[in-house]
Each structure stands twice: as C-alpha cells, then as structure tokens.
Amino acid sequence: MKNSIKKISIVFENLEYGGMTTFIENLINSKSLRNLDVNLITNKTNKGIYSLKNNIKNKRFTLITYSTLNAPHISFAQANLFYKVLKIFGFMIRPILFLISIFQFYIILKKSSPDVILAACGGYGNFRSDSASLISAKMLNIPKRILSIHHSYSKTRFWSFFINFADKFISKSATSIIFGSKAVKLDIKKNTTLLKTIKNSEIIHHGVSPKKIKTKNNLNKIFKTNNKRILKIGILSRIESEKGHYDLIDVFNVLPLNFKKKMRVFFIGPAKKEELNKVFEKLKRYKLENYFKITGFIKANSLEIFQKLDLVLSLTRTFEGFGLSIAEALMAKRPVLVTRVGAVTEFLNNKNSTLISPNNKKEILLSLKDFVKNKKNWDLKAINGHKHIIKNFTAEVTAKKYLKHLNLK
C-alpha cells in the first residue's frame, strides 16, 4: 500500500444525531487513520457535534464548522411567521444556494489543502453541501475525491431538472464512490446516472467499535424497573412511523396481559413534537402508559445503552442503508428482532438474529411471545451474532478498507 496520503478532509452534512455520526466517529478513531491529519468539516446545526467533540480521540483530528446553505434547520411546523416566510424563500432559491455553497467550500478546502476529500453523504439525491464540496475539490485539483453514500436515494418533487443537472457535475467531479451496502448501490444505480460516469466504485459496510466509550450518564435510573425480572425491550432511533414505533404500540395493545406484564418498552432517540404527541395519544388511547417509556436522546455510548436492554428491535418499514444500531446491539451480545429491509440480510441471518417481514404486525406479535417463552434461544443467537460482527464488521475492518480505497489510483 502506498503511503501518499497525509491529510484527509471529511465533509459531513447532518442534522440529527444518528448512525452516520457513529460511523464518522468510528472511522476517525480507527488505527488506520491515526497517522493522518483528519479535518472533519460539518455544519454548525449538526446535533451530533456534541458527540463528535467528546468521542473522537484521534490526536490529529480537527473539527471545522460552517454555516450550511443546503440543509434545512428550521422546523416549518414550529417556526413563527417570519421564519416560515424565510424558509419558503430559501426553498425557492435552493439551486442558487447550492451554487454559492460550491464557492463556500472552495474557500474552506483551499485553506485546509487536503490530499483527499471524502464526502460522507447520508442520503444522496438533493441539494447537499457534501456533494457541492466534490465540485469545489475538482476546481482545486485535489487528487482524490470520493463520494461515500450510506442511504437510499432521496427523491424530490421539485428541482428535479436542476438536481439531475448537478448530478452530471458531481459525477465528473468524484474520482470514485463508496457505497455503505449493496442495497444502497442498487438504489443509486436505479435512480441516478452516477455509475455510468464513475467507474471506480466499491461496497464497504459500516463497522462497530468493540470498545465501550465510558460516558457520564444516569442509565441505571433511566432503565430502572420495579421488578428485576421485567424484560426490557427497546428501539434506538428517531421516533417516526417509518421506524416502526407505531407498529410496536399496536402490537403491544393486543398482546395478552400475561406477556405485557413481563415487558417494558423503551423508545430511545430524538423526536419531533408532533411525533411525540402522536405516540402519547396512542399510548393513552390504548392505556399502555405504564408499559412504555420515552427517554428522548440519551448522551451515552450506544453499547452502554444496549447493555441495559434484553431485546433490541429494528422495525423499519421501507429501507435500511446498513443498520449500524443492529450491529452494535449484537456487539453488546443482545438479541435483535429486525425487519428484512435494505441491507439487513447482507449481514444478518436466522442463525444470528430473528428476521421478520416489514409492516407485518402478526410476525412482531409472534416474535415477542416467542422471546418471552424462549429467551435462552434468543440469547444464543445473540452470541452467534457477536462472533459474526467481531470477525467481519468492526470499525477497524471498515477503516482498513477505506484506507485501501483511498490509496487506489
């Protein structure tokens, strides 16, 4: 492997804390990137900045923040009249803002002078700063310009002409693409022309750090139950219908009382006010308030959180770019109940997890009953899953593949 790379700039535009934040942390903390100067360039409105500042331990890491012109950061439902008008105006001129962001990143990247620009894109298909940075990098003749796509194509009703036009510039600006899974690559190939122009592409799955980062928290208090025999089951994700939270509430409502009494459900993650209202309204209607706890976002390492649970659920209805939280749960030796969507079957099978069809409440119901009755079998699957993740999907495995890709001509 050639050692031609000394400095890398990672552009990471993001709003909510989630799997992409953990991915970035794991990548920068890896041994493979320890000998490189790493600049992480992210938007000031990124809610994962707190985690990035506290969890990245690479001594050669520098955090650079910018004011985004592309990622909407004002909730339309919660904004006052002035900000609603401002948001509408901003939406109307989005193609212009995207062009301005290209020159914004031209200035940022010129100052940092990296050998590599890695545009870490959570979901491709809209006006994004990470995409704009690749065009800027091309203008600056930065040798390696990698587009890293981790989720499905984001279809938009508006600006399709301009976005397709921008695709052409992005495809000519990037020297290669890394996909977070086969499912993501197929989705991008179906919806864009990127792969017609960019011939060098590779699939590199996410990886989990086996090291638990100790954080100051009150997890014992959050997950405390009156009875130590109560089984704690949880979903760690944003609260929204696509993530299956409402499906779980509906299923729990028809669960026999003797099963209900043996479980406590935890919804762990951020939520918009309107989503929270829907959840509380549904729980109140079903009289399930005593069985569910909404924790909100918890400032703690995911492995620490999972170790407080007996079962981790991922009930995504449509698409999963990889499913990092699932891999983290198995790293923590916790059994998982997962819907077969997106990239899930690329690393999970019936030997290491319990897989069900998406949008299938009957299968969720049967699975929960089976978990209560046969918990030991589920725990054995989790052990198999732990061994599988340790061997094939650690952060170091991912980082080594990334570094090898970066050194390709």
Side-chain angles (χ1 to χ4, degrees), residues 374-387:
N374 302 296
K375 183 177 180 297
K376 287 185 178 180
N377 293 336
W378 287 63
D379 290 340
L380 286 174
K381 281 188 177 184
I383 297 299
N384 291 334
H386 174 78
K387 293 176 181 178

Side-chain angles (χ1 to χ4, degrees), residues 15-128:
L15 288 179
E16 301 290 343
Y17 175 88
M20 278 298 293
T21 305
T22 305
F23 164 75
I24 293 293
E25 290 174 2
N26 289 341
L27 184 64
I28 297 176
N29 280 331
S30 67
K31 292 179 182 178
S32 299
L33 269 67
R34 193 172 292 172
N35 296 322
L36 299 178
D37 291 322
V38 181
N39 291 330
L40 176 61
I41 306 169
T42 191
N43 50 300
K44 293 177 181 177
T45 50
N46 181 357
K47 292 182 181 179
I49 285 181
Y50 173 87
S51 178
L52 293 166
K53 286 181 178 178
N54 287 275
N55 292 339
I56 292 179
K57 306 301 179 183
N58 189 326
K59 293 181 179 179
R60 301 180 69 170
F61 159 73
T62 302
L63 179 66
I64 300 171
T65 59
Y66 66 94
S67 298
T68 180
L69 299 173
N70 295 302
H73 55 277
I74 302 170
S75 173
F76 191 84
Q78 296 176 0
N80 60 33
L81 180 61
F82 172 76
Y83 282 113
K84 284 183 178 180
V85 173
L86 186 64
K87 193 175 180 71
I88 292 171
F89 177 73
F91 177 79
M92 296 301 294
I93 61 169
R94 288 197 73 183
I96 298 173
L97 293 176
F98 179 75
L99 291 174
I100 296 173
S101 70
I102 294 173
F103 291 99
Q104 178 188 30
F105 273 90
Y106 182 91
I107 296 170
I108 294 172
L109 295 176
K110 189 174 183 180
K111 288 181 180 179
S112 58
S113 302
D115 303 306
V116 174
I117 174 75
L118 176 66
C121 181
Y124 186 82
N126 213 324
F127 294 110
R128 297 180 59 96

Side-chain angles (χ1 to χ4, degrees), residues 353-364:
S353 59
T354 299
L355 300 171
I356 60 174
S357 305
N359 308 305
N360 194 315
K361 296 177 184 178
K362 182 179 179 181
E363 288 188 37
I364 299 173

Side-chain angles (χ1 to χ4, degrees), residues 285-297:
R285 189 185 340 132
Y286 290 152
K287 298 180 180 179
L288 295 175
E289 298 100 317
N290 294 332
Y291 297 103
F292 283 75
K293 184 171 183 179
I294 317 299
T295 70
F297 172 73

